[in-house]
Amino acid sequence: MRVLGLALYNSTVTSDGKVSMLGKKYLLYQQPDNKYVDDVIQTYPDKFYGWIFVNPKVSDPLKEIDKWIGKPGWIGVKAHPFWHSYPVALLESVAAFCAEQNMPVLIHLGGNREKGDYRYLPERHPRLKIIYAHAGVPLYREIWNYAKKRENVFVDLSNPVYVDEGILPTVIKELGVEKCIFGTDGPYANATQTMMLQRINLLPLSDCEKEKILGGNWHKLLEKSA
């Protein structure tokens, strides 16, 4: 079952560099354009933070980080080894920089050994704060078991496609509320994130526990990163 699940997951990215969803293919931009995000952050500084999106496969990620690191509102670095199809090891320089600067890194892992190597960065940079996207998709339980032993490894709970009604309560039970961070995913996911918010609010958790997931953990992580 695990092998089939990984095969289905990996099949959503095609050999010609596109993502396949519901029978349609969409072009993946290999060079993320962070200027669009910066425009939003600077226009609405009281509403938005930004992640500096890098792709070390096509350009020097430290040069991209340097463009934005001094501007208000940028709080971490985002990487997508799955969609951009590169080994996690290519994020070595990013991890070293972020560990030194005390900035979090958000990573969407791939499904094979290199793109899904969740151990590589935390074990080389123990001080680095890493958030594995979508409850650690696609290696859920492996990452949960690993994160329990690592102080600075967290997961986000964005996108109910990846974090469904079975995964959501299970990851919280396995990791505890302190390791789980609510996320909004991409700008096109408003409806699905409303669904996720409703699911979290319906869980048999105390108000204090829900507050940690929905904001408290994130604020605490940012305070440590300031």
Side-chain angles (χ1 to χ4, degrees), residues 121-189:
L121 297 178
E123 293 183 5
R124 285 161 178 75
H125 306 277
R127 292 175 51 223
L128 176 66
K129 297 178 180 66
I130 297 182
I131 304 170
Y132 287 126
H134 315 303
V137 69
L139 303 173
Y140 298 108
R141 286 191 179 275
E142 289 183 34
I143 290 177
W144 304 345
N145 289 331
Y146 183 74
K148 292 175 187 178
K149 307 168 189 174
R150 309 295 300 198
E151 179 183 0
N152 292 321
V153 177
F154 306 85
V155 299
D156 89 355
L157 304 179
S158 65
N159 197 326
V161 174
Y162 294 126
V163 189
D164 62 23
E165 290 178 290
I167 293 292
L168 178 62
T170 306
V171 63
I172 294 171
K173 180 180 179 181
E174 291 291 323
L175 278 182
V177 295
E178 289 80 8
K179 288 275 191 174
C180 299
I181 299 170
F182 174 74
T184 57
D185 204 18
Y188 43 79

Side-chain angles (χ1 to χ4, degrees), residues 5 10 24 54 59 79 94 100 108 110 112 148 165 167 224:
N10 290 330
K24 295 183 179 181
V54 299
S59 63
V94 172
E100 179 66 27
H108 186 139
N112 66 18
K148 292 175 187 178
E165 290 178 290
I167 293 292
K224 290 181 179 180

